[in-house]
Amino acid sequence: MSELTINTTQNVNINFEAATVGERVLAYLVDFLVKASYVFLLFLIFIIVLNLGSFFNSIDFWTGMAIYSVLSLPIVFYSLLFESLMEGQTIGKRVMKIKVVKIDGYQASFGDYLIRWVVRIVDIGITSGIIGLIAMIVNDKTQRLGDVAAGTAVITLKNKVTINSSILEDIGEMYVPTYPLVIKLTDNDVRIIKETLHTALSRNDLDVIVKLKEKIESVTGIKNQSGKSEDFIRIVIKDYNYYTQNM
């Protein structure tokens, strides 16, 4: 399993494990079964419930094509729809515990998912997956062409997750927040802040901690009232947990 290094906006590298080719292929097969089940379900509805065997004899070719096109939309847009709604996962990816992320460490956007979906025509569509498979095998991040074009990669979520690698903090019921402006941050911002802090502490890199503190101040408008940069960042993380858990 190859290692994927994501460089955050604070110029700190965070290491993830790229999903293997096997994991991605199995996720694709699960998604294929989901789509096949959808087609089979439509078949049952048409034949058993609506008795469309006789109905199709009474419609012209273009009406039939229009009906077919509309009913095919969930299959055509399957990956784009699910990756957008499930933050980088389809049903198959969720089963295999893998996820699409941006190389820069941020959550992929709809535009990124759209690029991946469009390039699927080359990766998977017209070549039956051969080009996509070859691209993943030769790429050290197991990226297919769609990933390269969108600046994304697929990582595994099977790593052991500890409290330090999430945004969760045990703040207790009596916790009193200091900085209400932390609500300007997002879950992903706080994840990156926390990962960056722990990485910097493990390397005893005080310069990164100071730069991280300054970045938080510039983005949120918060002014450090805690003295040490490390203490300020820890309070910001706890405050974010307080406000988001109590919304």
Side-chain angles (χ1 to χ4, degrees):
M1 187 174 291
S2 60
E3 190 174 81
L4 172 65
T5 299
I6 291 180
N7 185 265
T8 70
T9 53
Q10 288 80 27
N11 292 319
V12 173
N13 291 333
I14 301 174
N15 295 324
F16 295 91
E17 288 185 344
T20 64
V21 174
E23 287 173 327
R24 296 192 63 172
V25 170
L26 287 174
Y28 173 81
L29 292 176
V30 171
D31 288 329
F32 178 82
L33 289 175
V34 171
K35 289 183 281 188
S37 299
Y38 169 78
V39 173
F40 181 70
L41 180 61
L42 285 181
F43 177 80
L44 289 180
I45 292 174
F46 284 154
I47 301 302
I48 299 176
V49 179
L50 301 179
N51 191 25
L52 290 184
S54 58
F55 172 75
F56 277 120
N57 292 329
S58 63
I59 62 175
D60 58 40
F61 173 79
W62 294 110
T63 302
M65 288 299 296
I67 294 174
Y68 174 81
S69 298
V70 170
L71 295 177
S72 297
L73 289 179
I75 302 296
V76 175
F77 294 102
Y78 174 86
S79 62
L80 178 62
L81 175 65
F82 276 97
E83 287 180 355
S84 300
L85 295 178
M86 296 169 60
E87 298 184 339
Q89 291 183 302
T90 59
I91 295 174
K93 287 185 176 70
R94 178 157 293 187
V95 169
M96 295 306 300
K97 296 182 179 179
I98 60 178
K99 179 180 180 178
V100 178
V101 297
K102 287 287 288 181
I103 294 296
D104 62 10
Y106 280 93
Q107 178 68 46
S109 66
F110 177 79
D112 299 317
Y113 300 134
L114 179 61
I115 292 172
R116 297 181 79 255
W117 176 79
V118 170
V119 183
R120 282 175 68 91
I121 298 173
V122 177
D123 273 331
I124 299 172
I126 62 178
T127 62
S128 300
I130 295 176
I131 289 182
L133 182 61
I134 293 174
M136 288 189 292
I137 291 174
V138 301
N139 188 286
D140 59 353
K141 297 182 179 68
T142 62
Q143 294 171 291
R144 62 177 179 84
L145 298 183
D147 289 311
V148 176
T152 60
V154 179
I155 62 170
T156 180
L157 302 177
K158 296 176 183 177
N159 304 336
K160 293 182 179 179
V161 178
T162 65
I163 193 69
N164 289 336
S165 59
S166 71
I167 67 171
L168 299 178
E169 289 284 339
D170 184 10
I171 56 178
E173 295 181 359
M174 303 302 294
Y175 182 78
V176 178
T178 306
Y179 305 116
L181 289 177
V182 295
I183 59 174
K184 290 185 177 182
L185 300 171
T186 66
D187 284 356
N188 199 55
D189 293 331
V190 177
R191 176 185 64 80
I192 293 174
I193 289 169
K194 187 170 183 179
E195 290 170 345
T196 301
L197 175 62
H198 284 280
T199 301
L201 288 173
S202 68
R203 299 174 180 175
N204 197 29
D205 194 337
L206 300 181
D207 288 339
V208 168
I209 295 176
V210 171
K211 290 179 180 178
L212 179 58
K213 184 265 297 184
E214 293 173 349
K215 183 69 173 180
I216 295 171
E217 289 179 324
S218 67
V219 169
T220 62
I222 297 171
K223 296 301 179 184
N224 181 11
Q225 303 174 18
S226 311
K228 292 177 60 178
S229 297
E230 177 187 339
D231 293 339
F232 168 72
I233 296 169
R234 291 187 185 279
I235 291 174
V236 166
I237 296 171
K238 288 183 178 181
D239 282 3
Y240 183 84
N241 274 262
Y242 174 86
Y243 285 111
T244 55
Q245 290 175 23
N246 287 280
M247 283 182 174

